[in-house]
Amino acid sequence: MVSPLVDPLVGPLVGSARRYILYDVSSNSSTPTAAGAPTPRGRGRPRDTELRARILATAARLAADEGVDVGFDRIAQATGASRTTLYRWWRGPHELLLDALLDATAFSLENDPGADVLDRLHAQVESAAAVLTDDVTGGPLRALAAAALTRESARIDFMEHWLRPRRAAARALLVEGIAAGTIVDEDPDTLIDVLFGPIYHRALLTAMPLTADYVEALLRRVTA
């Protein structure tokens, strides 16, 4: 079990952000309902969901402990899966690690449909700040984002297996808020950039604090 969020950059976050980022491999069997699960590639046997959960959880821990340069050999050794199985489900190690990190942080995309949409959006923005600055997930994500700046294949992986599912979850909340009149009536994708772009900029580039007050200031920019 790893420690909960303690990164000094985050400040006094509350609500859903005050959660564990990763959990024991034995208990991390959830799969995100967003677009994070790898798309079946049309060959091989149906997936063994228990094996897939074990691979994702172990890969996330390896990324945290050993960095993102762990290859399929190391992941296969740690999980008991074959390289053939890994290549059947993922094109390469970075694609697998992004899915593993998305799966491990699935809590940050969860929301209660009965709760106020602004509260749910607030929790999602807070959680994004927590995930990006936590010692366990922040390091691997910074390394994978850096690779995305220099290699087209890495950029596609980062977009498809990290940013796209997270943007989809945020977009759904923004569309709901626009319809309810609580979010400004502007292009939802632009509002996503307004909310989350500064968080990624601070977490990945400037290391400036991501505090609860900062999150509140971002949310005020999209509130009707």
Side-chain angles (χ1 to χ4, degrees):
M1 183 77 78
V2 300
S3 60
L5 301 173
V6 293
D7 196 301
L9 292 177
V10 179
L13 293 178
V14 295
S16 63
R18 199 176 293 278
R19 299 278 296 278
Y20 284 0
I21 291 292
L22 298 179
Y23 2 103
D24 284 332
V25 171
S26 61
S27 65
N28 186 18
S29 58
S30 63
T31 302
T33 56
T39 303
R41 300 178 66 185
R43 67 177 189 270
R45 294 172 296 179
R47 294 193 177 167
D48 180 329
T49 55
E50 182 178 336
L51 175 60
R52 180 181 180 276
R54 186 167 76 248
I55 291 171
L56 290 173
T58 303
R61 288 180 54 179
L62 287 173
D65 294 342
E66 303 177 19
V68 299
D69 290 330
V70 294
F72 272 174
D73 286 339
R74 178 72 180 97
I75 296 170
Q77 177 191 41
T79 60
S82 68
R83 281 171 53 91
T84 300
T85 296
L86 298 182
Y87 274 113
R88 183 184 304 129
W89 295 347
W90 296 279
R91 290 188 300 272
H94 281 189
E95 181 181 275
L96 166 54
L97 292 178
L98 286 164
D99 278 352
L101 289 166
L102 186 70
D103 188 76
T105 60
F107 75 87
S108 65
L109 300 181
E110 295 171 355
N111 68 83
D112 177 6
D116 180 82
V117 65
L118 285 178
D119 290 340
R120 286 181 279 152
L121 187 60
H122 186 282
Q124 193 172 111
V125 177
E126 275 191 337
S127 294
V131 166
L132 288 169
T133 53
D134 183 75
D135 288 339
V136 175
T137 50
L141 285 169
R142 284 191 293 273
L144 292 165
L149 295 176
T150 58
R151 296 201 314 274
E152 178 64 9
S153 61
R155 184 194 68 79
I156 292 172
D157 283 347
F158 196 78
M159 183 66 197
E160 295 299 322
H161 294 268
W162 180 259
L163 290 179
R164 192 178 298 282
R166 299 189 70 86
R167 288 180 70 93
R171 194 179 197 282
L173 290 179
L174 288 166
V175 168
E176 181 182 343
I178 291 171
T182 56
I183 299 294
V184 293
D185 189 4
E186 296 183 16
D187 173 49
D189 290 312
T190 299
L191 296 179
I192 290 171
D193 294 341
V194 170
L195 281 174
F196 295 93
I199 289 175
Y200 277 81
H201 185 263
R202 287 196 173 199
L204 301 180
L205 296 174
T206 69
M208 293 177 67
L210 285 169
T211 64
D213 287 343
Y214 185 68
V215 168
E216 292 282 358
L218 291 175
L219 286 164
R220 284 196 295 271
R221 293 181 178 271
V222 305
T223 303

